[in-house]
Every structure is written in structure tokens, then in C-alpha cells.
Amino acid sequence: MQNHNKTRTIAGAAILTAIVIVLQLIGGAIHFGVFSISLVLVPIVIGAALYGAWIGAWLGLVFGVMVLLTGDAAPFLAINPLGTVLTVLVKGTCAGLCAGLVYRALEKKNQFAAVVCAAITAPVVNTGLFLVGCVLFFLDAVTEWGKAAGFENVGTYMITGFVGLNFLFELLVNVILAPVIVRLVNLGRKTQK
């Protein structure tokens, strides 16, 4: 039975890795504001809930690598390559890891609530660490971009220009889709036994 669970985890992680790659390639073409929407957070949450925090972290890392490879981070790479790579890889990895940890902490009490909380955690961590990275590595550039866009306050620009609709869309999609998909997968597992 242990080998069956390992095989299921490896296969599930591989499928979700492929989904993350495809969604990032497709999602890179969908823009709201300056940045593309991260549809990839849904499979990251699903992987974290079904297979654990380390699989969530892996999927988040793959997401980060794909952001770098698809050119979504190009404006930041031109300013500070190391800061960009660190920000992008850390935010994705931590989003998956934290979603998995939140799910595991709550799953015995209420599995549905655990998935919803994990689905909230991923975009909050992803966006929060992006904003931290902006402050640590790109504050001067972001301030200039904000002034060029007509914002006097860089904080207001970061929240409305960078986060705004992107964050709300990602949060809504995660909270709606992740619990439904995790429930369907778990129902499928029960019928196989």
C-alpha cells in the first residue's frame, strides 16, 4: 500500500507540474493591468492539499521558473536580475508550501475549510512576497513607474497598479475552483477503494 501511495503522489505531482507549466504559458497571455493573472495557483493549492506541503512548494517553484522563462518578469529582470530571481522563486515556492501547511493544520477539523483556507493562503503569500520583493529590490523603479502613472504615493500604486484586480481575480478563482477539484479527486479516490 505504501508503494501505491508513493506512485500516486509522484504521478499526481507530475500531472500537476505539467498543468502548472501549461497554465503559466496560457495565463501569460491574459493580462489585467500591468501583470498577467496567475491561474497556476489553483493546481498549486490542489497539489499542496492532496500530496502535501513539499509538493505544493515544488509546484510553486515550477511556477516561479515558468514566470522567469515566459518573460513575465522582464521589466524587473532589467533592473535587478538577482532580486527578480529571488523574489519570483521565493514567492511561488512559499505560496505552495504555506498553502500545504495551512491545509495540513486544518484538514482533521474540516477538510472543506482547510482547502478554502489554503486557497486563500496561496495568493496572499504570493502577492505579499511580491510586494516585499518590490520594496526590497525595486522601490526606486516602482516609485518612478507610479509617478509616471499619476500616483503620488508608491504604496497606493503598488496596491492598485500591481495588486488590485489581479489579486482579487486570483483569490476568487482559487476559492471557487480548488475546493471543488480537491473534493472531486477525493471522491474519486474513495470510489477506487
Side-chain angles (χ1 to χ4, degrees), residues 23 33 37 54 126 144 146 149 174 191:
L23 282 177
I37 297 297
W54 292 113
N126 185 56
E144 287 179 32
N174 269 327
T191 58

Side-chain angles (χ1 to χ4, degrees), residues 83-182:
T84 303
V85 170
L86 281 173
T87 300
V88 169
L89 295 181
V90 168
K91 77 181 184 67
T93 304
C94 287
L97 179 67
C98 291
L101 294 174
V102 165
Y103 178 82
R104 291 295 173 237
L106 300 174
E107 76 173 313
K108 289 186 181 6
K109 294 177 182 169
N110 184 318
Q111 195 174 37
F112 178 78
V115 179
V116 170
C117 289
I120 292 168
T121 299
V124 167
V125 169
N126 185 56
T127 302
L129 290 177
F130 169 73
L131 291 173
V132 169
C134 283
V135 170
L136 290 176
F137 301 113
F138 311 104
L139 189 58
D140 292 340
V142 172
T143 301
E144 287 179 32
W145 297 342
K147 286 181 181 175
F151 289 88
E152 290 299 319
N153 184 313
V154 70
T156 303
Y157 174 67
M158 287 172 57
I159 298 300
T160 58
F162 284 171
V163 177
L165 292 177
N166 292 357
F167 173 76
L168 294 176
F169 180 80
E170 291 169 7
L171 182 66
L172 185 64
V173 167
N174 269 327
V175 169
I176 292 170
L177 292 181
V180 171
I181 295 170
V182 168

